[in-house]
Amino acid sequence: MSSALASTATFLDRIGRARAVMAERGVDVLLLSVGSDLPYLSGYEAMPLERLTMLVVPRDGEATLVIPRLEAPRVAEQPGVFSLRPWNETDDPVGIVAELAGTPAVAAVGDTMWARFLVDLLGHWPTSGTRYVRSVEVMNALRTRKDAAEIAALQAAGAAADRVAAQLHAGEIALVGRTEAQVSADISARLIAEGHDVVNFAIVAAGENAASPHHHAGDRVIRAGEIVLTDFGGTMAGYCSDITRCVFTGEPTAEVAEAYAVLHEAQAAGVRAGVVGAACQDVDRAARAVIADAGYGEYFIHRTGHGIGMEAHEDPYMVEGNDQPIEAGHAFSVEPGIYVAGKWGMRLEDIVVATDAGPLSMNHANHALVTIA
Amino acid sequence: MSSALASTATFLDRIGRARAVMAERGVDVLLLSVGSDLPYLSGYEAMPLERLTMLVVPRDGEATLVIPRLEAPRVAEQPGVFSLRPWNETDDPVGIVAELAGTPAVAAVGDTMWARFLVDLLGHWPTSGTRYVRSVEVMNALRTRKDAAEIAALQAAGAAADRVAAQLHAGEIALVGRTEAQVSADISARLIAEGHDVVNFAIVAAGENAASPHHHAGDRVIRAGEIVLTDFGGTMAGYCSDITRCVFTGEPTAEVAEAYAVLHEAQAAGVRAGVVGAACQDVDRAARAVIADAGYGEYFIHRTGHGIGMEAHEDPYMVEGNDQPIEAGHAFSVEPGIYVAGKWGMRLEDIVVATDAGPLSMNHANHALVTIA
């Protein structure tokens, strides 16, 4: 996963910076399992299984990777980063973690760790003795500021997604007469062919289905004369792409064309607002203002964007109420939408990285509502 | 997902039985999110996202599905099973859950729920007032006893996996000269072609790589004259397959043939031990005894099996220390292995359902170490 981009030196640097944040925030131990924080710090990705894998990072002292003995051969050792503590099938791995971590006053636990392991930890460390916080309290300061290699990886993934969008715009992906599910499978295959290791999603929603933002591509046959919303992305060398483009199977109706012009302008306004020093919510406000001013406010039913990196969705979120300042290296989607239930929906999305020179888009595919014959 | 197999009446029955177990065990509220418990009870599967979806099931009173507003159109409503409580982008969904659930003395939380939501719940209900238990305390009594429709689904998935194994045995899947990763992709495509909706894994490990039980198929080219371990499975109509077969690219060496004969006998002994009323650990002991008696005990480095159903791994586990009695409807793998680090490894696996008439195998593919030219 991230090991393609990171060396032992990188992991040592990251774990050192994580410890500095722990000291600053009074976190005694960081506990990472399933999810991206673990490979970000160690190069190793935990299998999402009932057998616990957990990196125990005390603020002071050596980090230890607690791992099922049968997974241990899969670990690429990183001298100085962590030591291995394999456990046997009849051991209690949570007990091993509790012993390694002592009795922390504050424990930061991985966001996507399975809750069953936290339930077991509560038996060892009830909240009367330990305060639990989310690992983002420690990791966000590192993870949200993408370094040059990470930005390059996001650009490469974005370019691969753009190539699939270009194929869609060129009419190479047949639409009319096929089901949404068939088109979704076609897009998925193209994401892989263009270099992604994994497809994370390929939403295809035709006509009235496009009014459901997370529509699951189904048996609905695409017809002539309707909007088709596609939102797809995958993971390439450990980093994610995510792009949304809408096309129209024929000449757009006046109603749709008019709304799309507003959407197009709103998305561009959101991108322009993504500057270092602005608040995350300013991106949302900028896009939303354009849509509201045009009278479509009630039809924009979700936040404007989410952070992206090793995860398809991660901090920071571009949502009202998030006054966190945008920093250089923050990567996020800008994806306003307009959804008219029972009729049609539309969304337009690029990934943007904030830099000191302004917002840098990872996507350059045509932003227009292209007509597909 | 499970909705293919279950109707509103089934969900009503299941939720009623879950409530009976809650009453018996003194659980005040059941909280289900990402994972199989939720679709098992409601037909709805939560997206694994930062936006919380959670079914709140009080022991008495109506169940409520707390769901992001933009996901709400995806829900197939089940009248009488649950009501919907959509939340908006700027709401606090954990606060909504806490309000719906009151202040429980005992809360059962889903195993694979993301820990971040439990961390947030701890802010509402510290362990001084609430005891947390795993949802399996409630759900295992239901989930582990597969009904006739579930057993039929496991049989259908097993038959589909068997067909891929038969293609392997017939030499239709080229091995020598290809990489493990290429063969893994080939097997994955065949699992889909035979009816699976999703591939969960397709381990291909050649020669010395087979000594790592969860080896990740890589660039290693398969050569003539070595063992190739394949372990693959997927999900079909909501239920999982899982099968392991080894083949030899040529005539097996005496050393390998001898060990395989022991493995074959051990696996059959494990299956025979899977009878109603025996302990789960008896399956492990039966398989392990054969391997240990033949002098390979130190090379069998994992438990003998895991439960299977909507999840690829679920309760009950066939492991020393698990004295839980096997009941009719329990479905589990029997998969002993022998692993000689640096040289070779082997494993043989079927899925078995315990019935009152004895163990019923879901897999019938050839159990021999077939030679592939």
Side-chain angles (χ1 to χ4, degrees):
Chain A
M1 287 285 144
S2 73
S3 46
L5 290 172
S7 65
T8 300
T10 304
F11 298 132
L12 279 171
D13 171 63
R14 288 175 177 172
I15 221 161
R17 286 190 289 138
R19 285 208 168 94
V21 179
M22 290 167 73
E24 198 181 298
R25 307 216 162 187
V27 172
D28 298 300
V29 68
L30 175 63
L31 302 171
L32 301 177
S33 181
V34 170
S36 297
D37 286 338
L38 177 51
Y40 182 86
L41 282 191
S42 72
Y44 184 74
E45 187 168 8
M47 298 182 84
L49 289 177
E50 73 286 355
R51 289 183 179 104
L52 179 66
T53 296
M54 189 172 276
L55 183 69
V56 180
V57 187
R59 188 169 52 196
D60 311 298
E62 203 187 23
T64 307
L65 185 63
V66 176
I67 189 164
R69 186 170 297 281
L70 79 166
E71 312 290 356
R74 302 174 68 245
V75 178
E77 299 205 39
Q78 306 289 346
V81 180
F82 58 82
S83 65
L84 276 186
R85 172 65 172 87
W87 59 271
N88 299 315
E89 293 282 57
T90 53
D91 290 344
D92 165 24
V94 175
I96 293 169
V97 167
E99 205 178 297
L100 284 167
T103 46
V106 179
V109 302
D111 264 23
T112 55
M113 177 176 124
W114 285 5
R116 59 176 283 180
F117 299 116
L118 181 49
V119 168
D120 287 345
L121 271 173
L122 292 173
H124 290 274
W125 308 325
T127 52
S128 50
T130 298
R131 188 165 66 86
Y132 293 85
V133 298
R134 292 174 48 197
S135 60
V136 292
E137 299 267 336
V138 174
M139 298 300 295
N140 259 5
L142 285 73
R143 292 271 309 273
T144 60
R145 290 179 205 144
K146 270 69 180 177
D147 65 24
E150 293 182 288
I151 294 170
L154 286 167
Q155 282 180 310
D162 275 354
R163 291 194 292 275
V164 178
Q167 292 160 20
L168 174 71
H169 285 145
E172 293 169 21
I173 301 175
L175 298 175
V176 176
R178 290 169 102 195
T179 65
E180 295 169 342
Q182 286 170 326
V183 175
S184 175
D186 191 341
I187 288 173
S188 297
R190 289 167 190 265
L191 284 169
I192 297 293
E194 293 299 341
H196 289 86
D197 301 307
V198 184
V199 175
N200 295 328
F201 50 85
I203 296 171
V204 176
E208 73 290 348
N209 283 346
S212 171
H214 279 179
H215 176 68
H216 183 76
D219 292 337
R220 162 79 154 77
V221 174
I222 298 169
R223 299 185 291 261
E226 63 184 10
I227 200 161
V228 180
L229 183 157
T230 67
D231 180 355
F232 50 87
T235 305
M236 187 165 138
Y239 285 77
C240 294
S241 66
D242 188 355
I243 186 171
T244 305
R245 290 295 185 268
C246 293
V247 295
F248 207 92
T249 52
E251 201 57 44
T253 60
E255 182 191 47
V256 164
E258 195 176 296
Y260 194 87
V262 172
L263 178 69
H264 192 162
E265 190 188 330
Q267 202 269 347
V271 172
R272 281 196 304 272
V275 295
V276 172
C280 289
Q281 66 186 359
D282 293 340
V283 172
D284 186 83
R285 288 175 177 179
R288 200 169 300 276
V290 174
I291 290 173
D293 288 351
Y296 296 97
E298 67 183 296
Y299 303 113
F300 180 14
I301 58 176
H302 56 69
R303 68 190 177 207
T304 294
H306 54 80
I308 188 168
M310 295 174 70
E311 298 279 356
H313 289 190
E314 60 182 45
D315 281 291
Y317 293 96
M318 305 291 131
V319 62
E320 180 64 35
N322 186 1
D323 56 8
Q324 182 192 355
I326 295 175
E327 298 175 60
H330 278 190
F332 48 87
S333 70
V334 179
E335 50 175 315
I338 301 175
Y339 309 93
V340 183
K343 294 181 74 181
W344 48 260
M346 52 179 63
R347 182 166 63 250
L348 180 61
E349 174 185 28
D350 290 330
I351 301 304
V352 172
V353 176
T355 77
D356 290 323
L360 181 68
S361 185
M362 305 290 106
N363 297 103
H364 306 282
N366 192 344
H367 290 80
L369 182 66
V370 173
T371 287
I372 308 293
Chain B
M1 288 287 143
S2 72
S3 46
L5 289 172
S7 64
T8 299
T10 303
F11 298 132
L12 279 171
D13 171 63
R14 287 175 178 172
I15 222 161
R17 286 190 287 139
R19 285 207 167 92
V21 180
M22 289 167 74
E24 198 183 298
R25 307 218 164 186
V27 172
D28 299 299
V29 67
L30 174 64
L31 302 171
L32 301 178
S33 182
V34 169
S36 298
D37 286 338
L38 177 52
Y40 182 86
L41 281 191
S42 73
Y44 184 73
E45 187 168 8
M47 299 181 83
L49 289 176
E50 73 287 357
R51 290 184 179 102
L52 179 66
T53 296
M54 189 172 276
L55 183 69
V56 180
V57 187
R59 188 170 53 196
D60 311 300
E62 202 187 24
T64 306
L65 185 63
V66 175
I67 188 164
R69 187 170 296 281
L70 79 166
E71 311 290 355
R74 301 175 67 246
V75 179
E77 299 205 37
Q78 305 289 345
V81 180
F82 57 82
S83 64
L84 276 187
R85 172 65 172 87
W87 58 271
N88 299 316
E89 294 282 57
T90 54
D91 290 343
D92 166 24
V94 175
I96 293 169
V97 167
E99 205 178 297
L100 284 167
T103 44
V106 180
V109 302
D111 264 23
T112 55
M113 178 176 122
W114 287 4
R116 59 175 283 180
F117 299 115
L118 181 49
V119 167
D120 287 346
L121 271 173
L122 291 171
H124 290 274
W125 308 325
T127 51
S128 50
T130 298
R131 188 164 66 86
Y132 293 85
V133 299
R134 291 174 47 197
S135 61
V136 292
E137 299 268 334
V138 173
M139 297 301 295
N140 259 5
L142 285 73
R143 292 269 309 272
T144 60
R145 291 179 204 143
K146 269 69 180 177
D147 66 24
E150 293 182 287
I151 294 170
L154 287 167
Q155 282 179 308
D162 275 354
R163 291 194 292 275
V164 178
Q167 292 160 19
L168 174 71
H169 286 145
E172 293 169 21
I173 301 175
L175 298 175
V176 175
R178 290 169 101 194
T179 65
E180 295 168 342
Q182 286 171 326
V183 175
S184 176
D186 191 342
I187 288 173
S188 296
R190 290 167 189 265
L191 284 169
I192 298 293
E194 293 298 340
H196 289 86
D197 301 307
V198 185
V199 175
N200 294 328
F201 50 85
I203 297 171
V204 176
E208 73 289 349
N209 283 346
S212 171
H214 280 179
H215 176 68
H216 184 74
D219 292 336
R220 162 78 153 78
V221 173
I222 298 169
R223 299 185 290 260
E226 63 185 9
I227 200 161
V228 180
L229 182 156
T230 67
D231 180 355
F232 49 87
T235 306
M236 187 165 139
Y239 285 77
C240 295
S241 67
D242 188 356
I243 186 172
T244 306
R245 290 295 185 270
C246 294
V247 295
F248 207 94
T249 52
E251 200 59 43
T253 60
E255 182 190 46
V256 164
E258 194 176 295
Y260 194 87
V262 172
L263 178 69
H264 193 162
E265 191 188 330
Q267 201 270 345
V271 173
R272 282 196 304 272
V275 295
V276 172
C280 289
Q281 67 187 359
D282 293 341
V283 172
D284 185 83
R285 288 175 178 180
R288 200 168 301 276
V290 174
I291 289 173
D293 288 352
Y296 297 97
E298 67 183 295
Y299 303 113
F300 180 14
I301 56 176
H302 56 69
R303 68 190 176 205
T304 294
H306 55 78
I308 188 167
M310 295 174 71
E311 298 279 358
H313 288 189
E314 60 182 44
D315 282 290
Y317 293 96
M318 304 292 132
V319 61
E320 180 65 34
N322 186 1
D323 56 7
Q324 182 193 355
I326 295 174
E327 298 175 62
H330 278 189
F332 49 86
S333 71
V334 179
E335 49 175 314
I338 300 174
Y339 308 94
V340 184
K343 294 182 74 181
W344 48 260
M346 53 179 64
R347 181 165 66 250
L348 180 60
E349 174 186 28
D350 290 330
I351 301 303
V352 172
V353 176
T355 77
D356 289 322
L360 181 67
S361 185
M362 304 291 105
N363 297 103
H364 305 284
N366 192 345
H367 290 80
L369 181 67
V370 173
T371 288
I372 307 293

